[in-house]
Amino acid sequence: MSDTPFGFGLPPEEPENGDEGKKKDPAGGGQGSGGNPFGANPFGFGGLPGMGGPGGADNPFAAMFGNLNPNDLGAAFQQLGQMLSYEGGPVNWDMAKQIARQVVAQGTADGVKDASVGPAEKSAVEEAVRLADLWLDQVTSLPSGAGTAVAWSRAEWVEATLPAWQQLVDPVAERVGAAMGDVLPQEMQAMAGPLIGMMRSMGGAMFGQQIGQAVGALAGEVVGSTDVGLPLGPAGRAALLPLNIEAFGKDLGVPSDEVRLYLALREAAHQRLFAHVPWLRAHLFGAVEGYARGIKVDTSKLEEAVGQLDPTHPEQLQEALQQGMFQPEDTPEQKAALARLETALALVEGWVDAVVHEAAKSRLTSADALRETLRRRRASGGPAEQTFATLIGLELRPRRLRDAARLWASLTDARGVDGRDGLWEHPDMLPTATDLDDPDGFVHREHLDFSELDKMLGEAAKGESPEDGDAEK
């Protein structure tokens, strides 16, 4: 595969040259609408650039081809052929990456374009994370999880987080893609192989377009690598985006160095948690996969669409998608996975909120104001939650952030820092959704120490007895 798949030109190396990127992708535009992606506008495809303007309505390829003159038709059909020949996974990630980079190069709606991070900004971020870790050492028993501190441009954020997006989105896209090939009777699938292959290729391209557009738009608003409550960046790397931090603090009336330091505290706190709670990442991502396994597809609509599909008019599949073909059914598996994810997110965000406030309240005059601003930003969803909902149908919203933060603060008072943080040693020791309803009951309840049990089980697995760990196997 070439370095510029599907005929997309690479955006300029220097993100300041946003106009050049705009010329290469005349479609531009913002992210698809949020909310339930499986409704009238599933996965936000209708919000793709070029789909609402003249000549682009209901045209899934307008985002790629734009307004072509006759001399460009040959190149356009070549690009279409390359798209339909895609044989990768459920999402065309090459396309997603290229579109995300182009969206970033165009700049945000307020006219601010991406820019390379200068030495002074890198130094300021490194110093903020270093100081944040010193403050956090005094309020948590979890050691630093940030081996390095980096300052990213928006384009660098896209590059660094795409592997995590792939892990999150692929399970849902795979489930939907499999349904596209299962609607035909078994005896007809061999005969319809080319059609099924084309549908899957188009599905991968459609997902790739939407994800690229959404991730590129999100890159213009996030301030670090953990904004959505998940570890999107490489492990052990605390990352902040100076350009977006400046935009975030613009109208707060708070000194920029305090804004940067408070956000560094949050980033560093997340890094500690994900670095030293080894089961947490798999727990969160596993909940997303569990949700995907519970997705049910309305095959009657899909069968009707396949039966009426004219191979010479592939945009008909796009129209079928927009008519609510993929209506999910609430299954027990989905509900359980969603509840598990929401509770885990609330506990993560609540812990970060509590320890950051404890570290900042006596040192930053704006600590209370910044805390409330971040709480509202997370609780209301904002761009991060909307993007995730558009991509895979889940709202990454810690609905009970305040309840969880109060519970962690109460645990600190009752058991101390070590007793509070020790609950992260085993998932069964953590508060449940019911415990968030009765925090006092949880705080004063006796909890089992799973560390000795884990040790005994480990020794048993190795053929050792707890009484004679040195016995020969």
Side-chain angles (χ1 to χ4, degrees), residues 110-124:
D110 57 4
V112 178
K113 296 188 180 299
D114 195 15
S116 299
V117 180
E121 292 171 317
K122 292 180 180 179
S123 178

Side-chain angles (χ1 to χ4, degrees), residues 277 279-280 283 340 347 408 415 422-433 435 442 445-451 453-454 457:
V277 183
W279 55 265
L280 183 56
H283 181 76
R340 186 160 57 105
L347 293 175
W408 289 118
R415 305 185 187 184
L423 295 179
W424 289 105
E425 292 179 1
H426 196 285
D428 291 341
M429 297 176 67
L430 285 177
T432 64
D435 294 323
F442 179 86
R445 187 187 313 155
E446 290 295 329
H447 285 268
L448 295 175
D449 184 355
F450 283 83
S451 60
L453 177 60
D454 286 342
L457 292 174

Side-chain angles (χ1 to χ4, degrees), residues 157-178:
W157 182 89
V158 168
E159 296 280 349
T161 62
L162 271 180
W165 287 115
Q166 182 171 357
Q167 185 177 353
L168 289 166
V169 175
D170 269 351
V172 177
E174 180 69 44
R175 181 69 189 88
V176 173

Side-chain angles (χ1 to χ4, degrees), residues 362-399:
S362 62
R363 296 181 173 96
L364 297 178
T365 58
S366 58
D368 288 338
L370 289 170
R371 183 190 200 188
E372 185 61 26
T373 298
L374 267 298
R375 278 182 165 187
R376 291 180 179 179
R377 189 174 192 247
R378 287 298 287 122
S380 63
E385 179 269 325
Q386 293 170 11
T387 296
F388 204 83
T390 300
L391 294 181
I392 66 171
L394 284 172
E395 293 183 351
L396 267 183
R397 183 183 303 175
R399 301 177 186 276

Side-chain angles (χ1 to χ4, degrees), residues 29 50 84 170 228 244 257 276 278 299 342 357 364 366 392 396 457 466 471:
L84 295 178
D170 269 351
V228 299
N244 293 353
D257 57 338
H276 300 292
T299 56
E342 288 181 343
H357 182 67
L364 297 178
S366 58
I392 66 171
L396 267 183
L457 292 174

Side-chain angles (χ1 to χ4, degrees), residues 152 157 161 164-165 167-169 218 222 224-234 237 266-267 270-271 273-274 280-289 340-342 344-346 348-349 352 378 384 388 392 394-398:
W152 283 342
W157 182 89
T161 62
W165 287 115
Q167 185 177 353
L168 289 166
V169 175
L218 184 57
V222 293
S225 70
T226 55
D227 279 31
V228 299
L230 295 172
L232 295 180
R237 188 174 300 175
R266 289 182 55 83
E267 177 75 9
H270 277 103
Q271 293 295 335
L273 203 54
F274 290 122
L280 183 56
R281 177 187 174 95
H283 181 76
L284 293 168
F285 282 65
V288 176
E289 294 179 3
R340 186 160 57 105
L341 179 61
E342 288 181 343
L345 284 174
V348 168
E349 294 296 281
V352 168
R378 287 298 287 122
F388 204 83
I392 66 171
L394 284 172
E395 293 183 351
L396 267 183
R397 183 183 303 175

